[in-house]
Each structure stands twice: as C-alpha cells, then as structure tokens.
Amino acid sequence: MVFVFYPIVDTIYMSFLEKGTGEFVGLDNYAEVVSRKEFLDTKRLANFFGGPSYGALIHNLLWIVIHLPLVVFFGLLLAVFLRDVKGSAIIKSTIFLGIVIPLIVGGVVLRFILDKDAGILNGILRAVGFGASVRDWTIYPDTALITVILGSVWIWTGFSMIVYSAGLQGIPVELYEAAKIDGASRWKTFWRITVPMLKPATIVVVTMTLLWELKIFDIVFVATLGGPGTASTVMAYLMYLEAFYTFPPDYGTASAIATILTLMTFGFAAYLVSRMAKS
Amino acid sequence: MRVYRWKKSMKRNKGVSQAVWMAIVAVLIIIIAVMGVAWYLTLPAPEEEEEEKPTLTVFSLWSGGEEENFLQCLGNFTEETGINVTHYHYTTTDLLIGVPMQLRAESSVADVIIAPWPAWILELASEGHLLEATNLITATKYPTGYINAVKDANNKIWASPFKASGKPGFWYKKSFFADNGLSVPTTYAAFKTLLANITAISGIEEAVASGDTDGWPLSDTTEAFIMGLGGYQLQEDLITGPSARNWTDTEVRNVFGNLTELLAADYFSDPAEWTSQITKFWDEKYGIYFMGSWMTTMEQIGNVSDLDFFGFPGTDGVGGSVDYLIIPKYAPHPDEAKELFQWLSGADAQEIMVGLGGFFGTHADVPATAYTTLDKKVLDFISQPTIHIVSDLDDAVGGKFQTTFWAQLRLLWVSPTTTTMNDVLDALEEQALAQQT
C-alpha cells in the first residue's frame, strides 16, 4: 500500500498543482499537456504519411499497433516450430536473452545494430548490393521511430515465445491424435486446436506486452533520445523531461502525463484481465 | 565412637578449610584489583591518534585527455595536502539530472562538482543545495562576467570559475590543406568555396565533421553561424529570450537559412559520436571540424603541431564557456572540499592545467607564458578587441530549452529543408517563451 498506493495518489494530486506556487489549478496541467505538439501534433497526424513526429501519444499507440502483433506472431511461430526440435532449449534460451538483459543495454545493442558504420543491418545491406540504402537509421525522422519499434521486437519476443511454449505443453496430446484420425491437415489442426487452446496464453502475452509498450522509455532514451526533434518521443520520455530537465522541476505537468499514462495502462489492463477471467 | 570422632573432626576441618580458601581468594581479588588500579593510574596519557585524511570525490564531464590532465593536477593537490581525490567522469545527463536528484534528497556523493551551466548552478543554489563561495575566492581575480553568471540577486557567489574554454572556429589538418592546395577562408563566400573544394577531394566523405552526443556539438556549430552571420549581439539577445529577440525573427531565419543551405548541399556529415568524428577527421574523411579549444588535448589528434584552426569568416564573436566548481551543501567532507575548491580556484593549480594544454585559466595571475603555442594562438584569437566572447547559448538558457535546442538541431541536420527549418524555429520559440514565463 505504502509503496504503490501512496505514490499513485500523490502523483494524481500533484497533477492538479501549479509548478511554481503549488496552487490548485484544476485540469490546467492536463490541458497544457494535451495542447502541446510534442504530445499530440494534430497537423502532422492529418498528414500521416508525411512522416513523424505525430506526438508522444500517437507514437505510443504506434508502438502498440506495430510491435504487439509482431511479438505475438513471432513468439507463437517460434514456440510452435521449436516444440519438437532437438536442442530447442538452447535456441529458446538464446532468444530469451533479450528479456534477461537490461533494457538500457538492449537500447545500446539496438543502436549498434542500426549504426551506419558498425551496424549489422547496414553490413547486410552492403553485402546484398543495397549499399545506397545504408544510413544511420536512428537519426532520421522518417526511420527513427519505426526502426526502434521493429528493432525492439527481438527484445520482447523471447517473453511471448516462453509463454506460448508453456501453453503448448498444456494442450492434451489426445486432441491432436483425434484430429489426425479425423484426417485434419496440419494447418487446420493449428487453427482449430492450437490457436484456441492458447487463448489464455495469448491474453497474458497481449496484456504484458501492451503494458510494456505503454511505459516504454529505456530503449527510446538510449537509442534516439526521443528525436530527432520529437520524431520518436514517447509519453514516459516526455514525463522524464518535464520532471528532471525543467528548472525548477515541473512536477505538475510531469504528473499529469504520468496520470494519463496510468489511466491508459489501467484501462487496457482492466479490459484484458476481464477477458482473461471470462476465458 | 572412633568413627564418630573422625567424622566430626573432618567436618570441623572442612569448615576451616573453606573459610581459609575464601579468604585467600578474596585477598587475591583485592590484590589484583589494587594492582589493576595502580597499573591504570601509572599508565602514560594516551597519545591522540592522528586522524586519517578522507578521500574526496569530484564529478566532472571530463574524460580521455582532459581527465588525464585533471588527474595530474589533482596529484599535485594530494602531494601538497595529503588528501586523496577520486575523480568520476559523468555524462551530461548523469550530471544534469543525477546530481539535482541526489541534492534534492539532501545527500551528495561528491565533495566538489565541476559543471559548465551557470543557470543550473543558480537554480541549485536557490533551492539551498550549495555552499556559498563568496568568501572562498577573491572575486576580483576573475573576469567579472564569469563571476556575475553565478552571482544571485543578493550578490552571493555560488561557484568558482575554474576552466575557461573558447570555441574559436573550424579545426583543420595543416598537411591536408597543404597537400590539397586549400587555403583558410576570409569571407563567407570563400568559406562556401572551401567546402565545395574539400567535398571534391577523393576519399573525403563530407567537408565538415558533425559531432554529436545528445546534440551538443551541433549547437556549438550553430552558434558559430549565429555569431558569424548575425553578429554576437544576436546570440546575446537570443540568450536573453523572447523579450529581446524571437527565434522566428527575420535575422534568425536568415542565419538558419544559410546553415540549412549548406546542410542541404551535403557539406556536413550526419551527426555521429563526437570523439569518433575526431578520429575520422584526423584520418582525412572530413576536411574541417568545428570544436572548442580542448581539441588540442584530444588523444585522437596524432600530432598537435599539424593541427590549426580558423575562425568563422568575419565573425565578431566566439562562444565561450566556463567550467565552475561547486560544493554541495551535503558534501561528505566539507572542510577538505573547501580546501580543494580553493586550491583549484588558485593560480598555481590553473597554471598546471594550462601547461598540460587545452585549458584557459580564469585566474588573473596565471602567466601567459604557461600556454602551449597552439593554445596561445587560440587565446590571442579570442582576445582580439574585435571579438566578443559570448556565453554558450544553450548552457546559459539551460533547462528544457537546452534539450529542445539539441533535439531540434539533430532534426535540422538530417532533414535540411525550409519546412523543417521553420518547424525547428517555431519549436525553439515555443520553448523559449515557455521558459521565459
């Protein structure tokens, strides 16, 4: 209670206070945050294909829209493919390393992978004759956000793979045997037995991944500093800047961002947990 | 009967024996106690043990050659005072963010901190986290501007200027210029021609190296353009803020328009880690590199005698920054910290640093003869009567403006279009306005 409830209540309370005077200002901090381009750039959003920055709120949503399906897909794919492979434990452990390493280290590794001179991605591009496309992927506004999102898939896929692997262990073999006797194809067996039986695992993966994406900070901080400009900024990074880079610290605005983030997280989590309970 | 007597005699004997033994033991205890007291009383008075001197902790942004020089200087302090000092290199973020967090929690790991941000120092002082420095230094021994930058409304001084740096201009390799028939430009038109000529040289990636950490060296380059094309007063006005000058003013747009034109022409490299860019500059992947006076201490420079610089053509101002010493109120060893603070603030320590290179002393008694040839050349250049030394723009404004400035310049560098330039200037104006209010 002391370490969880009190900070939450205090943060919500601070979000209604003015930074300098500490006076109650109602929803002013929220209004100020939402009106900022770095939080939501409606002009750029209207011209979506013009490229980022769309503002931290939209960037967080893009994390969910792009990162989540890929993590679910690759996690499931790896779990299914590695189920009957000899020595799969070693492969799974290697993939799981992404989860074990600190996210800051993950961000540094990602930056190296995408580096113009030393990066493996550009090395591959050069090797296959696409030398003209070589660039420092994290420093351009049109590629910074998307490459950080895509590059982060490997970090979190280990988690979904392990959850799905555990889920696969729980599916009775009899179901597959019965399907085989009935002449069901592998594809049909996968869609009619494996996928439905993995629904609880999917809800766990989706819930945890979604929460991870909403509060994403470390990787963005290390790989792009939210830039260039605000092209890859996210809400947690914005909150950090308000709280610690502003003199004197603007805890009111930072708390307003934190509260918005918390409400979004709770909203998504509550919905998914209720789905999980029903299933 | 005989048996009864014998038993009685034994009982009586046993009783005597116990009393005797008890008396003996009591006497022995008394003797030992008396001897103990006598021994204690005759002991010589204990000599006071010499207190072991503490090890001080210093934080700064210096690493590589700069750190090595500073450690040598600290070695002299240890020799003189017997106080050991441990230095920790902090990144900009570590220092800018980590130190205020520690101090606001009323604790400090460092005894002395070296930081180049006067606005940040005054903010920490106003929150009551620093020890006052007014009586620790002789303020008249330092340039007034350096002292005023860390003086509050009550004329209290909160820091001591330790190291001054200048950003004289673009560094180049003399042999590279000679081999390729290049000459130092004296006009902006000649500067543009130079960039075109360097770009045409085989093996060159781009004419100008662009260093980056979190956007910092890009800001120095931009400030050189502001002062070179708009004059030193423009930079001073931008430091003052929107009450003096807006980022969206025509004059500022003209400066940024010129910079954007050169960026669009691919004369500048993509921003990359600033020290690795020195290596590439020295390997002749780039022709010139805008950097501060500390360039002469960088280990990537193979031969300092082959290094030279030229100022932004026609400029009337150069960026200068000062690294200040501060003592946190919660310093673990405040007395020794003051001793180190005063020693570093003095002319002797600064003379040592000056002799090691890449360091401009702030104390009036540091002799000009202590400087190396190249440092002296830089010092002479920035000391010309036609040149005004202006504070580093983003360091002086500080706060979130600084990170916005860095982030927006990184954007302009990789997306040099008029639209981006206008967006960048709008974002800077928005942040400057927010900070001013």
Side-chain angles (χ1 to χ4, degrees), chain A residues 175-187:
Chain A
L175 290 177
Y176 290 109
E177 286 171 353
K180 202 173 181 181
I181 291 164
D182 290 343
S185 65
R186 280 191 152 201
W187 184 244

Side-chain angles (χ1 to χ4, degrees), chain A residues 36 38 44 111 116-117 136 139-141 221 224-225 228-230 240-242 244-249 251, chain B residues 93 96-97 100-101 104 120 123 127 213-214 270-271 280 398-400 403 407-408 410-411 414-415 423 426 430:
Chain A
R36 283 188 192 176
E38 56 192 355
R44 281 208 177 249
R111 200 167 169 169
K116 186 180 174 185
D117 296 320
D136 210 333
I139 68 168
Y140 287 89
F221 178 69
T224 66
L225 281 167
T230 52
Y240 164 78
L241 287 181
E242 290 300 330
F244 303 116
Y245 265 97
T246 311
F247 296 118
Y251 293 131
Chain B
T93 308
L96 207 59
I97 305 301
M101 284 171 79
R104 283 171 191 139
W120 180 83
E123 178 59 33
E127 292 177 20
T213 46
D214 31 26
D270 279 348
K280 289 182 79 174
K400 203 181 156 200
T403 53
Q408 292 298 328
R410 291 172 80 214
L411 174 62
V414 296
S415 177
D423 287 347
D426 287 346
E430 191 181 326

Side-chain angles (χ1 to χ4, degrees), chain A residues 87-103:
Chain A
S88 64
I90 297 168
I91 302 170
K92 283 180 185 173
S93 303
T94 310
I95 296 168
F96 196 69
L97 274 179
I99 295 296
V100 178
I101 59 169
L103 286 178

Side-chain angles (χ1 to χ4, degrees), chain B residues 24-35:
Chain B
I24 290 169
V25 170
V27 168
L28 281 173
I29 289 171
I30 290 164
I31 290 169
I32 290 168
V34 169
M35 282 173 67

Side-chain angles (χ1 to χ4, degrees), chain B residues 61 92 96 115-120 145-146 149 163-168 213-227 232 234-241 247 290-294 317-324 388-399 401-403 405-406 409 435:
Chain B
L61 296 172
T92 304
L96 207 59
W117 312 295
W120 180 83
Y146 294 175
K163 174 191 177 184
S165 310
K167 289 131 189 184
T213 46
D214 31 26
W216 147 67
L218 304 184
S219 56
D220 284 354
T221 311
T222 306
E223 287 169 40
F225 274 80
I226 291 172
M227 286 183 281
Y232 82 95
L234 180 61
Q235 170 131 329
E236 288 201 333
D237 287 351
L238 289 170
I239 290 171
T240 306
W247 282 91
F290 189 91
M291 192 48 65
S293 48
W294 54 87
V318 297
S321 65
V322 178
D323 288 290
Y324 287 95
H388 296 80
I389 299 175
V390 184
S391 297
D392 183 279
L393 194 151
D394 48 285
D395 284 348
V397 179
F401 176 85
Q402 190 167 38
T403 53
F405 191 50
W406 291 340
L409 290 181
Q435 202 138 317

Side-chain angles (χ1 to χ4, degrees), chain B residues 88-158:
Chain B
Y88 290 97
H89 155 67
Y90 262 44
T91 64
T92 304
T93 308
D94 290 340
L95 207 61
L96 207 59
I97 305 301
V99 166
M101 284 171 79
Q102 278 181 30
L103 299 184
R104 283 171 191 139
E106 299 192 356
S107 72
S108 174
V109 176
D111 293 286
V112 173
I113 297 167
I114 303 171
W117 312 295
W120 180 83
I121 290 168
L122 285 177
E123 178 59 33
L124 291 177
S126 73
E127 292 177 20
H129 300 309
L130 302 183
L131 288 185
E132 192 184 337
T134 315
N135 297 321
L136 296 177
I137 56 170
T138 309
T140 50
K141 287 286 184 185
Y142 304 92
T144 318
Y146 294 175
I147 294 292
N148 286 345
V150 286
K151 197 190 267 187
D152 67 13
N154 300 316
N155 278 330
K156 288 181 177 176
I157 299 166
W158 294 98

Side-chain angles (χ1 to χ4, degrees), chain A residues 185-207:
Chain A
S185 65
R186 280 191 152 201
W187 184 244
K188 218 166 193 176
T189 308
F190 175 74
W191 277 110
R192 295 290 170 84
I193 296 174
T194 308
V195 172
M197 292 298 284
L198 284 177
K199 196 176 172 189
T202 303
I203 290 174
V204 170
V205 169
V206 169
T207 308

